[in-house]
Amino acid sequence: MKAVTFDFGQTLAELDHEMLARRVAERGAELDPARARAETDAAWRAYGDAKRAGLEGRDAWCTFMRTLLTRADAQGADIDALASWLFSAQPQQNLWRKPIPGMFELVHALESAGVPVGIVSNSEGRLSELVTELGQRQHFGVVADSGRLGFEKPDRRIFEHAAKALGVAPEALVHVGDAWEADVVGALAVGAQAVYFAPEAPASLPEGVRFARDAAEARAALVALGIGELATNRA
């Protein structure tokens, strides 16, 4: 039996740019949500570079946020200080809370098909509470939150933790996530398969990896990777 794990931010829920604008306004800064949305992909590329360079936790997160705020031309505050403040506030005011269309419905389809489902996320220690707030916690057998576990993707231990909680071997996981280094490389390192959930496909994909831009493509990718129980289910 296979199990499916999902990253959370930018996979199940995306950055709420309007909320981000409201938060930075609390510090006397101005941010155009539309411009921030347009620069988010570039910020994620910076995050990927940071992870490849070995940065973790606050350092990697703040690299993302500094890049986003700088490229979106946030006005009226010191960017470094603003990014640090947002990180400190993240456990209580998580900015990644806007459900991505169709993704929680895909989770429900997996659950209905009897597929064990979990979350594996580099987060700040209160992700389970956020998923509960969104009314989705009961659909996941495990929420592996790096902020609680003390290790984060691509560390193999976080995938092993999730696999054990779901009752499968790590190589029986199919992990869906948007960060190449953290999600895809991390999953492959434990013998799992992966769905790279991103706006643009890479030039090539390693064996055991599929690409998806949205929920419908993610469902098709899971079927292609052996989650056959979804063949007659709609996400």
Side-chain angles (χ1 to χ4, degrees), residues 28 73 98 104 107 110 120 154 170 183 191 221 227:
D73 197 26
K98 188 174 182 180
F104 281 119
V107 169
L110 287 162
V120 178
D183 292 307
I227 311 296

Side-chain angles (χ1 to χ4, degrees), residues 24 29 96 212 230:
V24 303
W96 275 264
L230 282 182

Side-chain angles (χ1 to χ4, degrees), residues 65-144:
M65 190 56 67
R66 283 195 303 269
T67 303
L68 180 60
L69 295 172
T70 300
R71 292 182 64 98
D73 197 26
Q75 300 289 321
D78 177 86
I79 296 297
D80 288 342
L82 185 55
S84 294
W85 175 75
L86 288 167
F87 179 84
S88 298
Q90 183 72 356
Q92 286 73 40
Q93 298 284 339
N94 196 304
L95 295 166
W96 275 264
R97 61 173 57 241
K98 188 174 182 180
I100 293 176
M103 290 303 287
F104 281 119
E105 290 79 2
L106 175 56
V107 169
H108 304 164
L110 287 162
E111 182 187 35
S112 295
V115 179
V117 187
I119 293 174
V120 178
S121 180
N122 291 348
S123 195
E124 297 80 28
R126 292 184 56 83
L127 182 57
S128 184
E129 289 83 351
L130 174 60
V131 179
T132 298
E133 182 183 335
L134 296 175
Q136 300 293 333
R137 180 63 183 87
Q138 69 273 21
H139 302 294
F140 298 96
V142 62
V143 175

